[in-house]
Amino acid sequence: MLPQQLGYYMPAEWTRHERTFISWPVQQSMCFPEDYAAVCEGYAAIARAIAEFEPVAVIVNPDDIDHVQAYFESSEHPVELLPIPHNDAWFRDNGPTFLRGQDGSVAAVNWKFNAWGGKYSPWDLDDDVAPQMLTHYDIKRFDAPLVMEGGSIHVDGEGTAITTEECLLNTNRNPEMTKEQIERDLQQYLNVENVIWLERGLFGDETDGHVDNIACFAAPGQVILQVHSDPADENYEITQDNLRILQEAVDAKGRKLDIVQIEGPPARYHEGNRLTLSYLNFYFVNDGIILPVFGGEAEETDRQAEATLQRLYPERRIRTVNGMAIIKEGGNVHCTTQQQIASAQEG
């Protein structure tokens, strides 16, 4: 039977976590392998920040255990190292999606993974990480027939999901499936009733428009959207189109959405390519938020983004991290993480 039939559903990210998973960078798979040491320090900084709020488990290639352990030996909050072979380090995308059952128990969906439409080979180890990890923690597993990355969806925990057509309908993911078939799988495996389809993600995003760079639920009935207000910016039309779609949408409860806009940071480039800078790639942790900030010309938008999130979540501590530390590799804080929801008995 499928999760929906058994009453399992995907809770919102702000639901209490048991732990956060991160997988460690692999030099051979990096876009810029010469930056390996700096990227490792960036990952370690993210893991240490999260560990201030909740337990962290880092998936490490077995030969790298001693190397990775050295980054955390003096940490106030130790992290768990889990030796599982993997090809790449974006665990949001090849990791499982955790579900909660009617009895409060935890299960997970194991999606198919093909390295963002076959962009990076090999990916066989990454596709096998979730089953090994779920077996290690003795977590019930549902194997889905859909190629999908965790960064392509957000849910409100009350029956609504948000995604982009640019990603989920891309022929490099599930070319044999229609939009209706993909939506049906989302409904059956996440137990959602309504899917809101944005058109595109941020300009140049090599994930083919992951929603976690452009929009997320802040609460049931409320969405945060990154916008770019300069008409000359490549993201202006994209974000205005997505704003219009959200303004016209209703969620699974029939509510019109309250849309909170966050101005995106100024464009920044590396080797002629625009980097995918996004404040929406923040991550909810227990009693806090981990927010990437970018400095320099983005100092003012950094301040505005932090102030907006603090206004929305006065009870949470906003913990900023250097958003430039790993962005050249194609992602940021949310992309590196995957939350294991706590059982109802635990929170």
Side-chain angles (χ1 to χ4, degrees), residues 96-327:
T97 295
F98 287 91
L99 310 174
R100 179 178 282 176
Q102 291 178 324
D103 61 354
S105 62
V106 173
V109 180
N110 171 42
W111 310 98
K112 292 182 178 181
F113 179 74
N114 74 349
W116 308 278
K119 291 184 176 68
Y120 298 99
S121 181
W123 61 79
D124 57 316
L125 297 180
D126 282 346
D127 193 36
D128 197 42
V129 169
Q132 293 184 67
M133 191 199 78
L134 295 172
T135 297
H136 176 82
Y137 290 101
D138 193 26
I139 295 171
K140 181 179 178 65
R141 183 178 106 214
F142 296 95
D143 292 321
L146 189 69
V147 173
M148 201 190 74
E149 302 100 43
S152 67
I153 53 167
H154 269 299
V155 300
D156 68 351
E158 293 191 358
T160 308
I162 187 170
T163 187
T164 69
E165 295 182 354
E166 180 184 359
C167 183
L168 261 63
L169 303 188
N170 198 304
T171 55
N172 62 17
R173 301 312 204 271
N174 300 285
E176 75 288 354
M177 298 180 69
T178 65
K179 180 178 181 179
E180 291 72 26
Q181 289 171 325
I182 291 171
E183 187 164 316
R184 180 201 61 207
D185 277 358
L186 294 180
Q187 291 168 340
Q188 292 178 335
Y189 283 90
L190 303 178
N191 199 353
V192 295
E193 303 166 38
N194 185 28
V195 179
I196 298 172
W197 293 88
L198 303 182
E199 292 178 355
R200 293 174 289 170
L202 293 179
F203 175 84
D205 182 354
E206 66 173 344
T207 67
D208 303 312
H210 273 188
V211 78
D212 70 353
N213 276 322
I214 201 160
C216 72
F217 285 102
Q222 186 177 56
V223 172
I224 309 173
L225 178 70
Q226 179 162 301
V227 297
H228 292 262
S229 57
D230 180 1
D233 192 292
E234 295 126 326
N235 282 312
Y236 175 77
E237 183 180 348
I238 292 171
T239 56
Q240 289 301 307
D241 286 345
N242 287 333
L243 176 60
R244 172 186 50 79
I245 293 168
L246 290 171
Q247 288 171 335
E248 296 172 355
V250 295
D251 67 12
K253 303 296 185 184
R255 294 173 292 217
K256 295 288 290 183
L257 299 173
D258 173 29
I259 304 164
V260 178
Q261 299 180 45
I262 287 182
E263 181 69 26
R268 200 168 295 180
Y269 297 85
H270 179 70
E271 295 187 351
N273 296 314
R274 182 166 181 168
L275 298 173
T276 310
L277 305 189
S278 174
Y279 299 118
L280 271 291
N281 214 264
F282 73 82
Y283 176 58
F284 286 101
V285 289
N286 295 337
D287 304 316
I289 285 172
I290 311 298
L291 172 67
V293 292
F294 305 102
E297 294 180 355
E299 186 174 322
E300 178 56 24
T301 51
D302 286 351
R303 186 195 63 76
Q304 292 173 3
E306 183 175 0
T308 298
L309 290 175
Q310 194 67 80
R311 174 177 59 81
L312 291 174
Y313 303 103
E315 76 289 357
R316 289 179 179 265
R317 177 161 67 94
I318 310 298
R319 172 67 157 82
T320 61
V321 295
N322 177 15
M324 296 305 299
I326 64 173
I327 191 61

